[in-house]
Structures are given as structure tokens and as C-alpha cells.
């Protein structure tokens, strides 16, 4: 998936597993940027009695590079604290939760937001309430309004939400991981079957999101609100992460543990699918432990992606030009590692220099597309979408499949003719507008546990 | 490891280590917190990493490191 359970170590630590990162100019508040960082993959809505929550022992982070050096100039840190009202019951709630202050909600979470800018720490807010998970009509009636109470306006024009959301990322997991037999094209696959529609494996699942809306002038290197898409100051690099303390001591016979030492990163995410399908198994855990500015050592995986070599094998005769393409994939390096320089796509750039780093690069001077945004983003003619940042509904699976299949190589070598299939390949899914909100926090209302049938095909 | 033992170990480290100044500063700040915050020592490659709170100090003292390893039964 985008980055759900994408590496051996973090797949065993879901509370710290950074699954998706989004960064876009807020469509209903275009002087701001919204960054969303998701954790806890594949939350089954009925997963009680200990419903999903952030880790009190995890530090969640949003990083922003605004001077193109690959390192963060601004970091937002989020730390959580769980409070149990009544430890003498097994119940998550002892009655209906009709407000986030309800005495019936037994296990609540609160958090702080700290902004670190060039080494200076500023706590923006403390004691912010999370919403409960969506349990069902008996426990969390009017869930959407309940969750709305957990959107907080905090210092310096920021707005924040942290809690359960409906998974916004859509992908046919069953097909992708079954040797990439993409259902709409599986008649052409080596294990040929009749072509059919894609299946969204994430349809009913929830995720835990940290959404932060930030005034643009809080993000630029010079404090300006960017208006010129061709200016370097208009572009920021964004990635998110999770860290744990270096040492943990488990006290035998008590169920308690102690932590000590500095925070060390255990998960991160910039571009979707980077660690998932670009980085090989032997390097995935190390990649998660490194900062984005150390990514030069992974550049060769981008220049020679394994999947580009596999597609012609899995789909015999479908990708003949891709099979012959052995040159380093400078197109993918631009999309994923440096941003796209001026002069490639008319009127657009999100270049952050030649230091390779896996970041979402957002040109904040590109206004949001209000009418008919393309989920294919830039390759769909919509410069407000991926890989210019990433919106919640962008079809990043199709975009990256097509890019790896050679559709974007002519950007750097006009003599190359992509295979016809490169412009068509997809897992057969698209965004469902009912899964998103037109306003902050943009990801939709999570499914209720009571209302969800396990593993219903979608 | 009891708190008494832990404190004794850290004091011994401070006395023996080349990084005693840094460690001493760490300990000075830690004196009141020793009963509420654990001190974790990680011995590796002849070095001792001492962690408490969000801090970590590395002491390079092969003799002390060897003593700790032996005390652990190795």
C-alpha cells in the first residue's frame, strides 16, 4: 500500500506506522496549506474493546523543508496522553458518547502541538482532545458532529485535528500483491484470467490522522505568502514521521514499562509507495530510520526501479519499449527526489535543488483546482495535484504505475516513445467523492463498528 | 537493578570516564529524578551509552565496560 505495513519492522508496530502523507493548498481556505499524516493501517471499525488510538510512547512529526537543503527547517511535533476515567470496567464507554467531554467516554486521548523552527521550540497548544473511534449508533450517535468537536483552532492561525478518519487511499491490494495481476488487464498477465473491475481493499477501514492547516506565510523561508509559481520560495518539501525512545525497559510482572533516551525515528513517509515498491526488503527498515536528507544512498533504486523491469515480464509483449529502456530514470528521480525543474511542464515547477530526498514537494502558489480536479494530478493536466503535493483523492497508484511504466520518461528524453499500455495501466480504481469532506480535515467520516460487515467486497 | 545499585553504577562511571564532565552535568540534573526516571546503560563496542529522560551520554571506558559485561555473567 502507500506505506501501510511496508517494511518488516514497522509492520509489527502499527501505532507508529506512518501510512500516508498529504500536502495541498486547502481548497476552501487557499491562503493555507493542509498537511495530513496518517498512522495505524487497516483499522477494522469493529476492533474493540480497545479501540484504536495514538501511542503515548510515540512522537509524531511533520517536517517541512523550505530552503531546498533536504533537511527540515520547521517540524511540528505531536505527543499524546491517554486518560482512563474508570479502570474498573472493561468498557471503552459506559453509555452513549454525545460529546468529546462526555463522562461516558472512559478512555480519552489528549495531545500537544509543538512547532520547532531552526532549533527553537514553541508549544502551540496543550490538552487538545481527540474524538473517540466510531463505535456504532449506541455508543457514538451523531458521530460526524462528535468528531467535529475535535477540530481545534490553535496559535498562529493553525487548525488541527487528530483522530480516526476513513481511509482515503484506495488500492486493489489483492491484485497488486498477487504478482501485480491488475484486474482490468489480467487477461494480459502471465497468469491470465478474464479482465474485471478493481476491488478497493481499504474500503471499510479506518486510519488515525493528524491534520494540520497552516497559513502559507508560516511555511515559507521569508514569511511571505507565495504568489509566483516559478519562484523557489513557493516550494516546500514535506514529509512525516514517527519516533520512539531509544531504550525501553519492561517491568516484569507489572505490565508497565519505562522509556529512556532520545527519540529515534522508526517510520517516515514522503511520496506514496516509495518505501513500498522502490526500496528493496533489505533496506526498508534502514530507510525508515533515516532522515530524508540521507536519501542519496537510495537514488539508484529510483533510477533503476525493480517494478519497471518486472512489468514486461509479467505482461509479455505489452511493454516492449519499457523492456528496452535501460537508461537511468531521470524522470522518476525528478518526480520523487528533487522535484520537477522549470521548463519541463509549462508554468510549473516544484524543484528543490539537486539534493535527492524523498519529499512531497508542494508549489504553494498553484491555486487549488475548484472545478473538475483530475485525480491523476499533473499527468492529468491538473497542476494542483500529485506530484505537486498530494490531495486526499489523488490516484497515486495509477500515477506511479504509469510513470514507472514509462509514461513520464519523455519529459527527460523526447526520443522515447512510451508503450501504449503505459498511458492505460491502472488497478481499476478511482476516488469516490463520498469518502471525502469538502472542508477540514478533508478525510471522510470513519465507518462505525456496528454498521460494518467484515470484509465486504467493494 | 535497584535504584541504589543504579546510582552506584552511574557514580562509578562518572569517576572513571573520560567524559566525566558531561556525565557529571547529566548526573547533577538527574539527582532529584533518580527515583522517578530510570537510567539505562547500554554497553557496546567498549562504550557505555547512558540514557535518562530524553538525554544520552556516551562514555568511552573499556575497563568499566568490561566490568559491567563481567557483572552480567559474560
Amino acid at each position: 500500500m502507500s506505506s501501510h505495513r511496508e517494511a518488516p519492522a514497522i509492520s509489527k508496530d502499527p501505532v507508529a506506522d506512518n501510512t500516508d502523507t498529504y500536502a495541498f493548498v486547502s481548497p476552501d481556505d487557499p491562503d493555507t496549506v493542509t498537511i495530513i499524516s496518517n498512522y495505524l493501517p487497516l483499522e477494522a471499525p469493529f476492533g474493540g474493546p480497545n479501540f484504536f488510538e495514538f501511542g503515548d510512547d510515540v512522537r509524531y512529526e511533520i517536517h517541512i523543508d523550505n530552503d531546498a537543503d533536504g533537511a527540515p527547517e520547521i517540524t511540528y511535533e505531536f505527543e499524546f496522553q491517554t486518560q482512563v476515567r474508570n479502570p474498573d470496567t472493561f468498557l471503552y464507554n459506559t453509555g452513549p458518547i454525545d460529546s468529546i467531554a462526555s463522562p461516558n467516554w472512559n478512555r480519552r486521548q489528549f495531545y500537544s502541538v509543538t512547532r520547532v523552527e531552526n532549533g527553537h521550540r514553541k508549544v502551540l497548544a496543550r490538552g487538545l482532545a481527540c474524538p473517540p473511534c466510531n463505535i456504532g449508533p449506541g455508543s457514538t450517535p451523531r458521530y460526524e458532529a462528535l468528531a467535529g468537536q475535535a477540530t481545534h483552532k490553535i496559535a498562529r492561525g493553525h487548525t488541527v485535528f487528530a483522530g480516526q478518519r476513513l481511509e482515503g487511499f484506495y488500492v486493489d491490494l489483492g491484485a497488486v500483491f498477487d504478482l501485480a495481476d491488475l484486474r482490468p488487464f489480467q487477461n494480459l498477465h502471465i497468469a491470465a484470467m478474464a479482465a474485471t473491475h478493481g476491488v478497493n481493499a481499504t474500503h471499510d477501514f479506518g486510519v488515525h490522522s493528524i491534520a494540520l492547516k497552516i497559513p502559507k506565510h508560516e511555511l515559507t523561508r521569508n514569511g511571505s505568502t507565495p504568489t509566483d509559481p516559478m519562484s523557489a520560495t513557493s516550494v516546500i518539501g514535506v514529509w512525516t514521521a514517527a519516533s520512539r525512545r531509544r531504550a525501553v525497559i519492561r517491568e516484569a510482572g507489572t505490565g508497565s514499562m519505562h522509556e529512556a533516551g532520545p527519540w529515534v525515528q522508526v517510520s517516515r513517509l514522503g511520496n506514496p509507495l516509495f518505501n513500498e515498491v522502490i526500496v528493496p526488503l533489505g533496506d526498508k527498515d534502514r530507510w525508515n530510520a533515516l532522515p530524508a536528507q540521507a536519501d542519496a544512498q537510495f537514488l539508484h533504486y529510483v533510477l533503476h526501479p525493480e517494478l519497471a523491469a518486472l512489468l514486461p515480464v509479467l505482461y509479455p509483449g505489452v511493454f516492449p519499449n519499457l523492456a528496452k529502456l535501460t537508461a537511468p530514470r531521470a524522470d522518476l528521480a525528478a518526480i520523487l527526489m528533487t522535484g520537477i525543474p522549470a521548463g519541463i511542464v509549462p508554468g510549473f515547477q516544484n524543484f528543490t535543488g539537486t539534493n535527492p530526498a524523498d519529499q512531497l514537494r508542494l508549489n504553494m502558489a498553484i491555486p487549488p483546482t475548484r472545478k473538475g480536479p483530475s485525480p491523476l494530478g499533473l499527468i492529468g493536466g491538473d497542476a494542483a495535484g500529485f506530484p505537486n503535493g498530494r490531495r486526499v483523492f489523488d490516484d497515486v497508484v495509477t500515477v506511479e504505475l504509469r510513470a514507472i511504466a514509462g509514461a513520464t520518461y519523455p519529459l527527460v528524453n523526447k526520443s522515447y516513445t512510451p508503450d501504449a499500455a503505459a498511458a492505460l495501466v491502472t488497478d481499476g480504481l478511482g476516488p469516490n467523492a463520498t469518502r471525502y469532506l469538502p472542508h477540514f480535515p478533508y478525510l471522510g467520516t470513519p465507518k462505525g463498528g456496528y454498521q460494518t460487515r467484515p470484509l465486504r467486497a467493494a | 537493578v535497584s535504584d541504589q545499585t543504579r546510582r552506584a553504577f552511574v557514580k562509578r562511571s562518572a569517576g572513571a570516564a573520560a567524559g566525566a564532565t558531561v556525565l557529571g552535568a547529566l548526573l547533577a540534573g538527574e539527582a532529584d529524578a533518580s527515583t522517578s526516571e530510570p537510567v539505562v546503560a547500554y554497553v557496546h563496542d567498549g562504550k557505555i551509552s547512558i540514557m535518562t529522560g530524553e538525554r544520552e551520554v556516551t562514555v568511552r571506558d573499556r575497563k568499566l565496560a568490561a566490568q559491567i559485561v563481567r557483572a552480567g555473567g559474560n
Side-chain angles (χ1 to χ4, degrees):
Chain A
M1 284 182 280
S2 176
S3 187
H4 304 54
R5 300 171 47 77
E6 93 290 353
I10 201 64
S11 69
K12 302 173 183 68
D13 187 6
V15 168
D17 188 352
N18 195 177
T19 62
D20 273 293
T21 299
Y22 305 91
F24 52 90
V25 176
S26 312
D28 56 337
D29 192 1
D31 286 336
T32 68
V33 164
T34 294
I35 299 172
I36 305 172
S37 185
N38 285 352
Y39 302 86
L40 287 102
L42 300 174
E43 295 179 355
F46 37 80
N50 292 289
F51 286 93
F52 304 93
E53 60 191 20
F54 293 101
D56 290 5
D57 52 352
V58 177
R59 190 175 72 188
Y60 301 91
E61 299 148 5
I62 293 173
H63 298 294
I64 292 114
D65 170 18
N66 63 16
D67 67 358
D69 64 353
E73 281 65 50
I74 301 167
T75 294
Y76 292 94
E77 298 175 351
F78 304 82
E79 294 187 42
F80 291 80
Q81 185 181 44
T82 302
Q83 293 182 6
V84 177
R85 277 198 162 107
N86 178 5
D88 297 324
T89 173
F90 72 92
L91 293 168
Y92 182 78
N93 54 293
T94 54
I97 305 172
D98 52 10
S99 83
I100 56 172
S102 169
N104 290 334
W105 184 15
N106 197 29
R107 191 172 169 90
R108 301 173 299 157
Q109 273 202 312
F110 300 88
Y111 62 102
S112 64
V113 184
T114 301
R115 175 174 160 124
V116 185
E117 186 168 9
N118 297 318
H120 301 290
R121 303 176 63 83
K122 170 73 175 174
V123 177
L124 298 183
R126 286 190 176 93
L128 301 171
C130 296
C133 288
N134 192 354
I135 312 302
S139 295
T140 49
R142 299 176 293 283
Y143 186 81
E144 193 163 348
L146 179 63
Q149 295 172 18
T151 290
H152 306 282
K153 292 188 181 304
I154 59 174
R156 296 172 65 161
H158 294 63
T159 303
V160 67
F161 169 91
Q164 192 181 43
R165 290 285 89 194
L166 184 63
E167 176 62 87
F169 175 64
Y170 45 94
V171 61
D172 189 341
L173 284 179
V176 167
F177 292 125
D178 187 24
L179 292 176
D181 57 350
L182 305 168
R183 293 179 217 258
F185 302 95
Q186 63 187 10
N187 55 313
L188 303 173
H189 192 269
I190 51 172
M193 292 181 280
T196 185
H197 300 293
V199 174
N200 181 15
T202 69
H203 185 266
D204 287 331
F205 289 104
V207 71
H208 262 59
S209 301
I210 296 172
L212 185 64
K213 190 163 73 169
I214 311 159
K216 287 178 177 176
H217 65 80
E218 290 279 326
L219 295 172
T220 50
R221 70 184 74 166
N222 58 7
S224 66
T225 297
T227 55
D228 177 9
M230 305 316 289
S231 168
T233 58
S234 297
V235 179
I236 55 171
V238 176
W239 70 103
T240 58
S243 297
R244 287 188 175 279
R245 302 285 285 281
R246 189 156 138 76
V248 176
I249 301 295
R250 299 183 193 284
E251 296 288 359
T254 68
S256 64
M257 60 186 183
H258 300 291
E259 296 152 348
W263 296 93
V264 293
Q265 183 179 292
V266 296
S267 181
R268 66 162 160 142
L269 187 56
N271 283 289
L273 301 162
F274 190 96
N275 202 27
E276 182 98 15
V277 299
I278 299 288
V279 180
L281 265 173
D283 267 342
K284 285 180 186 290
D285 291 340
R286 195 167 63 88
W287 184 90
N288 263 333
L290 287 167
Q293 58 266 36
D295 279 346
Q297 61 193 293
F298 302 106
L299 180 60
H300 60 287
Y301 297 136
V302 177
L303 296 174
H304 301 283
E306 182 181 13
L307 185 56
L310 286 173
L311 284 173
V313 176
L314 296 170
Y315 292 88
V318 176
F319 297 100
N321 295 343
L322 180 63
K324 289 181 278 191
L325 177 54
T326 57
R329 295 294 302 273
D331 57 324
L332 300 178
I335 291 168
L336 300 173
M337 300 292 264
T338 64
I340 299 171
I344 304 290
V345 178
F348 176 77
Q349 60 88 24
N350 63 353
F351 187 59
T352 57
T354 56
N355 290 332
D358 173 37
Q359 303 175 350
L360 275 178
R361 291 171 174 84
L362 176 65
N363 187 323
M364 297 186 289
I366 303 287
T369 303
R370 296 183 187 281
K371 290 189 177 178
S374 170
L376 297 180
L378 202 57
I379 70 166
D382 181 358
F386 182 76
N388 183 28
R390 179 186 175 192
R391 298 167 297 193
V392 290
F393 55 83
D394 281 341
D395 187 355
V396 294
V397 173
T398 295
V399 171
E400 292 196 358
L401 273 173
R402 292 181 182 179
I404 288 173
T408 52
Y409 192 61
L411 292 174
V412 298
N413 185 344
K414 295 192 186 314
S415 69
Y416 178 78
T417 302
D419 299 300
L424 301 172
V425 66
T426 174
D427 64 346
L429 300 173
N432 179 341
T434 65
R435 297 179 65 82
Y436 306 102
L437 301 176
H439 53 78
F440 188 85
Y442 303 103
L443 290 173
T445 302
K447 299 284 179 73
Y450 176 87
Q451 299 95 322
T452 303
R453 294 181 183 179
L455 295 179
R456 177 172 55 87
Chain B
V1 179
S2 70
D3 282 343
Q4 280 298 328
T5 307
R6 191 181 296 128
R7 277 196 293 272
F9 158 70
V10 174
K11 283 178 181 173
R12 205 165 56 231
S13 303
T21 304
V22 177
L23 187 58
L26 173 65
L27 291 172
E30 200 56 39
D32 294 336
S34 59
T35 55
S36 60
E37 274 194 297
V39 177
V40 177
Y42 169 41
V43 182
H44 56 108
D45 304 327
K47 296 179 288 188
I48 308 159
S49 296
I50 300 164
M51 292 170 267
T52 185
E54 295 187 10
R55 291 164 291 168
E56 177 174 346
V57 174
T58 298
V59 177
R60 296 174 188 276
D61 185 332
R62 288 191 173 276
K63 186 177 176 184
L64 178 59
Q67 284 180 324
I68 296 169
V69 169
R70 278 197 299 276
N74 294 305

